[in-house]
Amino acid sequence: MSLTLHLDTAAWRDHLSSVASRTPGLVPVAKGNGYGFGLPRLAREATRLGVATLAVGVADEVATVRDDWSGDIVVLTPWASHDPVATELLDDPGVISTVGRLDDLRTIVREHPGARVVVEVRTSMQRFGLEPAELPRVADLLRELTFEGWTIHLPMVGPTLDEARRLATSALAVATGPVWLSHLSPRDYDTLNGELGVETRLRLGTKLWLGAPQTRRVTATVLDLHPVSRGDKVGYWQHRVLTDGWVVVVSGGTANGVAMTAPSAGATLRQRAQAVILGGVDATGRALSPYTLAGRKRFFVEPPHMQSSLVFLPGAGAVAIGDEVPVETRLTTVMVDRIIDSSDRPDSSDRPDSSDRPDSSNRPDQQTPEENR
Ligand SMILES: *Cc1c(COP(=O)(O)O)cnc(C)c1O
């Protein structure tokens, strides 16, 4: 047992349903580590929401969601000739492929006529997509394919509504079809939806799955603890502890994505000095851990191990073996070992991953950092 995600499934589903009901054209995105929940679970939730299309990140992920999803699947990473899985999916009637280069569009027309495609238009992100100047050259090619629309992937900041409007308008002048968008605020999405005169779709990952942070918390378990005195050497790297206290062994390590964050470059000398006084172990190697013990985040003794981490608790010690302690995580970079339903409400639907109900009282005030994409 290492990291546990306690999920108030009923409250989380309320949140998912409310996002879905105010987002016509919602396309849930299930990719990577499944935003901490795993791809199959997200596919099941998308099924519950009753949406038409599920997005996955890469071609290989299609197989992972297939058992739990029977609608259309759009693959977000543009097709490439060097990817045999993506190539096979061009002939799959349930899959919509993204195309991001003019040459690729020509290849697909030649080798997989009729394939279902969305064409990506390059935005200021400069990730994938045809340049707006290339768009007029796709009109003829689209007639040989099943054109499912234009896709526009916007940055998180900046005048995204203007950019989306400008790119969508040039694209629609070439061929009419649905416009698939991401990273627009609900208001901007509504605005564009009203203006464009075509069907619009909004892809949501983080805001959908990881909204409503109060519905979940992640905990680790105290595996062991040992009293140490000032000057004792501890850990693989035999750092000396600077004060009396406890070395606490907590579950979760590099295999779970528990990472040591280096002291920020911006930390002032005073902050660094304070960190040492507050129980930092080594003035150069110390780093604040994501584990909260006895009410506050504690320093790592040394970098996390594969499946456990050593954390220093100064003073008399106020934790016990078996305690569940809060861990601050970005669920997009963490692998939890189990998900436990902590709903207070009875729910008769199937819950394949739930086990017994943990005590959800005494819930720590957990800060949720901005999630990573
Ligand atoms: C990942 C991704 C999304 C979803 O991003 P979030 O920030 O998690 O909502 C949408 N569109 C594309 C093309 C993506 O790659």
Side-chain angles (χ1 to χ4, degrees), residues 29 31 35 57 76-77 120 127 151-153 156 181-183 203-208 332 372-373:
V29 176
K31 66 183 182 186
Y35 294 82
L76 298 178
T77 301
E120 181 153 1
R127 192 165 78 171
T151 173
I152 295 173
H153 186 52
M156 302 287 191
L181 299 147
S182 56
H183 299 156
R203 292 179 299 260
L204 287 181
T206 306
K207 289 216 169 94
L208 178 67
T332 46
N372 244 357
R373 277 94 185 161

Side-chain angles (χ1 to χ4, degrees), residues 66 86 130 153 178 207 284:
R66 271 264 156 89
L130 275 73
H153 186 52
K207 289 216 169 94
T284 53

Side-chain angles (χ1 to χ4, degrees), residues 74-109:
V74 60
V75 180
L76 298 178
T77 301
W79 176 82
S81 58
H82 53 72
D83 183 340
V85 177
T87 301
E88 209 170 295
L89 293 174
L90 286 171
D91 301 319
D92 187 321
V95 173
I96 300 170
S97 302
T98 299
V99 185
R101 282 176 295 254
L102 198 54
D103 277 348
D104 290 346
L105 206 57
R106 294 191 181 109
T107 306
I108 295 170
V109 165

Side-chain angles (χ1 to χ4, degrees), residues 28-363:
V29 176
K31 66 183 182 186
N33 75 339
Y35 294 82
F37 301 99
L39 298 177
R41 179 182 290 258
L42 299 189
R44 290 196 292 277
E45 294 302 329
T47 303
R48 284 176 64 92
L49 292 175
V51 295
T53 312
L54 180 68
V56 298
V58 295
D60 297 278
E61 289 167 342
V62 170
T64 316
V65 299
R66 271 264 156 89
D67 285 350
D68 298 284
W69 174 257
S70 53
D72 281 348
I73 301 173
V74 60
V75 180
L76 298 178
T77 301
W79 176 82
S81 58
H82 53 72
D83 183 340
V85 177
T87 301
E88 209 170 295
L89 293 174
L90 286 171
D91 301 319
D92 187 321
V95 173
I96 300 170
S97 302
T98 299
V99 185
R101 282 176 295 254
L102 198 54
D103 277 348
D104 290 346
L105 206 57
R106 294 191 181 109
T107 306
I108 295 170
V109 165
R110 214 168 43 239
E111 296 173 12
H112 303 267
R116 298 179 72 187
V117 299
V118 289
V119 177
E120 181 153 1
V121 183
R122 184 134 21 119
T123 69
S124 56
M125 271 193 73
Q126 302 290 355
R127 192 165 78 171
F128 297 123
L130 275 73
E131 282 182 55
E134 295 176 300
L135 294 179
R137 293 152 75 186
V138 312
D140 289 341
L141 296 165
L142 293 181
R143 278 189 272 278
E144 313 292 319
L145 299 167
T146 309
F147 178 52
E148 300 283 354
W150 300 101
T151 173
I152 295 173
H153 186 52
L154 294 160
M156 302 287 191
V157 295
T160 51
L161 175 59
D162 292 346
E163 180 171 9
R165 180 186 281 130
R166 181 169 46 79
L167 295 176
T169 307
S170 351
L172 291 171
V174 171
T176 185
V179 175
W180 306 58
L181 299 147
S182 56
H183 299 156
L184 275 182
S185 70
R187 213 167 117 227
D188 288 352
Y189 176 62
D190 285 346
T191 304
L192 213 54
N193 196 14
E195 285 177 15
L196 292 178
V198 293
E199 193 191 330
T200 54
R201 303 293 203 91
L202 187 66
R203 292 179 299 260
L204 287 181
T206 306
K207 289 216 169 94
L208 178 67
W209 309 120
L210 296 177
Q214 72 284 359
T215 61
R216 64 179 181 270
R217 65 198 176 97
V218 178
T219 61
T221 309
V222 174
L223 301 175
D224 212 340
L225 69 168
H226 315 289
V228 288
S229 303
R230 177 169 184 227
D232 285 354
K233 290 180 184 169
V234 298
Y236 281 134
W237 305 104
Q238 296 287 286
H239 292 304
R240 285 183 193 279
V241 300
L242 296 184
T243 59
D244 294 355
W246 295 80
V247 170
V248 182
V249 188
V250 284
S251 64
T254 52
N256 301 93
V258 173
M260 187 162 104
T261 43
S264 79
T268 63
L269 215 54
R270 184 159 164 278
Q271 282 166 334
R272 285 173 193 228
Q274 259 176 353
V276 172
I277 293 159
L278 290 172
V281 171
D282 176 330
T284 53
R286 80 201 132 71
L288 200 57
S289 82
Y291 298 95
T292 294
L293 299 180
R296 67 159 76 180
K297 293 251 208 71
R298 301 298 174 176
F299 285 90
F300 281 120
V301 166
E302 64 180 359
H305 304 171
M306 180 81 91
Q307 291 174 313
S308 62
S309 298
L310 300 184
V311 174
F312 189 71
L313 178 63
V319 294
I321 292 168
D323 278 1
E324 294 274 307
V325 299
V327 192
E328 182 182 286
T329 58
R330 288 186 165 175
L331 278 174
T332 46
T333 60
V334 156
M335 300 299 289
V336 299
D337 299 284
R338 53 180 190 156
I339 300 180
I340 284 183
D341 181 24
S342 63
S343 300
D344 297 325
R345 276 175 275 169
D347 183 345
S348 56
S349 64
D350 65 322
R351 263 192 243 115
D353 301 321
S354 67
S355 53
D356 58 334
R357 295 189 175 196
D359 181 9
S360 61
S361 60
N362 198 14
R363 179 170 296 184

